[in-house]
Amino acid sequence: MIKDTWTLIEDRMSALSDLNKRMDDTAELLHWDNNPYQLVKPDGKTKLRDAISVTPNLPKVFAHGIISDLMSGKWQTVIEGEISSSKARMIEEFIDSSLAQADEELLRKHGIPSLFGWLCNHVCVRYAIGARWSSGVVDGEWQVDCLPVDMRWTPYVIGKWVAPITFRTRDDLEKELEEYEKEAKEGKGKYTKVALPSSGLNEVRDFWDREKNELWVSKQLVFTQPNTFGDLPFVFVVPASGFMLQDKGYIKHMGEDILFLSGGLYKELARSISLEQTSGYAGLYPAYEKEVEQLDGRPSEPVPAIDESLNVKPGERHFPVPRGDINRAGQTARADIQAMIEAGSPLVPKAYNTPPSAVLLAGETELISRLQNSRKEALGIFKSQLARLIIDQFVQAKTEGISIGRAGQRKSYSISKLGDPDKYTISYQ
């Protein structure tokens, strides 16, 4: 039985459920303030009465630091092969102009400042990075449609199909659907009008295979058009992060994110700090007991407030309830947890009371670099693959002397000036 597109995508999302759950857990740590940590009993469910809960900011501080470092990096384009230096410069300028035009459209259409900024964020906190790139001549002008996709919501089968999923309000969708309806009237596809709810989110699935592109909204096929590129207009890269084992269930550990070495420790740190805070608060307002000859239903007299002295009758003195000394044990546990987190996700080189040696500082810096290396490699490969896709679509369009670039900085490019793409390679360092 042939599955419809919606079911095909649904089955793939089910197969990726463990991987998606892992990314959801990481996102929860990055947005921990939305669902703050709650100190509970060891059963993980029962909340403690009068407990103080503390939500650490370390996961987001660490991830933000690595992302910022990646965004500040300077990239060098390396073009090698049977090509002159002048044409190599022309190719580099062509790619830069195409990306500049794409960034301009990204900001205008989606409010995303740049493709590279998006990729730096997602290469750290998702298992992979991806983007759709479609370009061509429209009404005599070169148009670029670049859409970075969130790989948590982009199921795909390599070489067969891709289906980015988004969740959109009616207002977000209406204008886009008007464009699809216009294209259908121009003979570029088939459009079916659907009723959108006045409130809530619509699940939108943008399905691509080698033959067609289908747009589904809330299980309804809205638009169909042929895939004129003959291939999938997407680029995906999974960073070589983690241990890349191929055991059963390996998909869950594909492209481990930037928190994977310490992810299980952040909640333990939250618990340790919360216990210390609760214990400290209990020291200011301890529980008391009072000995009486005969128990009755009357409540106990109130205990003295801070800095208050009271006279009491014999036998009515309050005694603090004995508590074990958890302070030393709690501090030791927290120190151990923090040491493990620093080993797995060092924010900066450690602080020293005396000047450290150059070798020691180099080692500390290397710890941070190790966590970035796989991300830098993935970004470089992505830029290289995207550059190749940009050139392939330009060659496929068979255009000569067309302007490409950001508004006010457009330059004219021709296929003949870019040389034979099969005779050179493009890489980024």
Side-chain angles (χ1 to χ4, degrees), residues 246-263:
Q246 295 290 302
D247 300 322
K248 289 182 179 180
Y250 75 94
I251 290 179
K252 178 180 180 179
H253 301 287
M254 287 175 56
E256 295 280 11
D257 58 66
I258 205 74
L259 301 181
F260 88 103
L261 291 175
S262 303

Side-chain angles (χ1 to χ4, degrees), residues 238-299:
V238 179
S241 176
F243 304 106
M244 305 179 74
L245 305 179
Q246 295 290 302
D247 300 322
K248 289 182 179 180
Y250 75 94
I251 290 179
K252 178 180 180 179
H253 301 287
M254 287 175 56
E256 295 280 11
D257 58 66
I258 205 74
L259 301 181
F260 88 103
L261 291 175
S262 303
L265 294 171
Y266 290 117
K267 289 188 178 180
E268 287 301 316
L269 178 63
R271 177 160 61 176
S272 179
I273 297 174
S274 298
L275 284 171
E276 287 187 27
Q277 289 292 92
T278 301
S279 177
Y281 182 82
L284 291 176
Y285 297 97
Y288 286 90
E289 292 178 329
K290 186 178 72 172
E291 296 178 351
V292 296
E293 293 293 335
Q294 289 183 334
L295 296 175
D296 54 36
R298 291 182 303 167

Side-chain angles (χ1 to χ4, degrees), residues 272 276 325-338:
S272 179
E276 287 187 27
D325 183 8
I326 68 170
N327 291 333
R328 185 177 299 277
Q331 291 171 359
T332 301
R334 181 146 72 93
D336 290 341
I337 293 170
Q338 286 180 314

Side-chain angles (χ1 to χ4, degrees), residues 157-303:
V157 176
I158 295 177
K160 292 185 177 181
W161 60 265
V162 186
I165 300 173
T166 54
F167 299 89
R168 318 271 287 282
T169 64
R170 179 176 180 173
D171 291 339
D172 289 336
L173 269 174
E174 281 183 335
K175 185 175 181 180
E176 182 177 340
L177 293 181
E178 288 175 2
E179 292 296 322
Y180 282 121
E181 187 174 10
K182 179 181 177 182
E183 289 185 15
K185 291 178 179 179
E186 296 172 354
K188 299 178 182 178
K190 181 181 179 181
Y191 176 79
T192 302
K193 192 175 184 64
V194 297
L196 300 176
S198 57
S199 61
L201 295 175
N202 297 278
E203 183 172 347
V204 181
R205 299 182 175 185
D206 185 25
F207 177 86
W208 290 78
D209 61 18
R210 293 180 180 275
E211 288 78 35
K212 63 184 179 301
N213 166 220
E214 297 178 351
L215 185 74
W216 291 70
V217 178
S218 299
K219 300 185 179 181
Q220 302 174 87
L221 179 58
V222 174
F223 183 73
T224 304
Q225 65 179 341
N227 178 0
T228 57
F229 299 110
D231 203 349
L232 299 176
F234 289 84
V235 174
F236 301 117
V237 176
V238 179
S241 176
F243 304 106
M244 305 179 74
L245 305 179
Q246 295 290 302
D247 300 322
K248 289 182 179 180
Y250 75 94
I251 290 179
K252 178 180 180 179
H253 301 287
M254 287 175 56
E256 295 280 11
D257 58 66
I258 205 74
L259 301 181
F260 88 103
L261 291 175
S262 303
L265 294 171
Y266 290 117
K267 289 188 178 180
E268 287 301 316
L269 178 63
R271 177 160 61 176
S272 179
I273 297 174
S274 298
L275 284 171
E276 287 187 27
Q277 289 292 92
T278 301
S279 177
Y281 182 82
L284 291 176
Y285 297 97
Y288 286 90
E289 292 178 329
K290 186 178 72 172
E291 296 178 351
V292 296
E293 293 293 335
Q294 289 183 334
L295 296 175
D296 54 36
R298 291 182 303 167
S300 173
E301 293 295 326
V303 300

Side-chain angles (χ1 to χ4, degrees), residues 16-215:
L16 298 172
S17 59
D18 287 342
L19 176 62
N20 292 336
K21 174 62 167 58
R22 191 198 88 198
M23 288 188 281
D24 290 342
D25 291 342
T26 296
E28 181 183 355
L29 290 175
L30 296 174
H31 296 294
W32 215 347
D33 291 341
N34 294 342
N35 185 22
Y37 175 81
Q38 292 291 327
L39 184 60
V40 296
K41 290 184 178 181
D43 63 9
K45 300 177 181 178
T46 308
K47 291 184 180 180
L48 293 174
R49 182 171 59 88
D50 294 335
I52 297 176
S53 299
V54 180
T55 304
N57 66 343
L58 288 184
K60 64 174 66 178
V61 170
F62 172 63
H64 181 264
I66 299 296
I67 291 168
S68 297
D69 286 347
L70 292 176
M71 290 181 65
S72 65
K74 302 299 180 182
W75 290 85
Q76 178 184 6
T77 307
V78 179
I79 300 176
E80 299 174 309
E82 299 178 18
I83 189 168
S84 65
S85 58
S86 60
K87 282 193 174 182
R89 286 194 300 272
M90 178 65 68
I91 293 168
E92 183 176 352
E93 289 179 1
F94 166 74
I95 295 170
D96 289 343
S97 295
S98 298
L99 292 173
Q101 184 172 339
D103 284 345
E104 188 176 57
E105 288 298 304
L106 268 178
L107 183 61
R108 184 179 67 85
K109 290 182 179 179
H110 306 287
I112 298 174
S114 71
L115 172 62
F116 185 66
W118 171 285
L119 295 174
C120 287
N121 275 268
H122 281 240
V123 80
C124 289
V125 300
R126 296 304 200 195
Y127 88 96
I129 48 178
R132 187 191 73 207
W133 182 281
S134 56
S135 55
V137 179
V138 179
D139 297 331
E141 293 186 354
W142 187 254
Q143 299 292 330
V144 174
D145 180 17
C146 174
L147 181 68
V149 294
D150 187 334
M151 296 305 295
R152 163 61 177 88
W153 297 100
T154 307
Y156 70 98
V157 176
I158 295 177
K160 292 185 177 181
W161 60 265
V162 186
I165 300 173
T166 54
F167 299 89
R168 318 271 287 282
T169 64
R170 179 176 180 173
D171 291 339
D172 289 336
L173 269 174
E174 281 183 335
K175 185 175 181 180
E176 182 177 340
L177 293 181
E178 288 175 2
E179 292 296 322
Y180 282 121
E181 187 174 10
K182 179 181 177 182
E183 289 185 15
K185 291 178 179 179
E186 296 172 354
K188 299 178 182 178
K190 181 181 179 181
Y191 176 79
T192 302
K193 192 175 184 64
V194 297
L196 300 176
S198 57
S199 61
L201 295 175
N202 297 278
E203 183 172 347
V204 181
R205 299 182 175 185
D206 185 25
F207 177 86
W208 290 78
D209 61 18
R210 293 180 180 275
E211 288 78 35
K212 63 184 179 301
N213 166 220
E214 297 178 351
L215 185 74

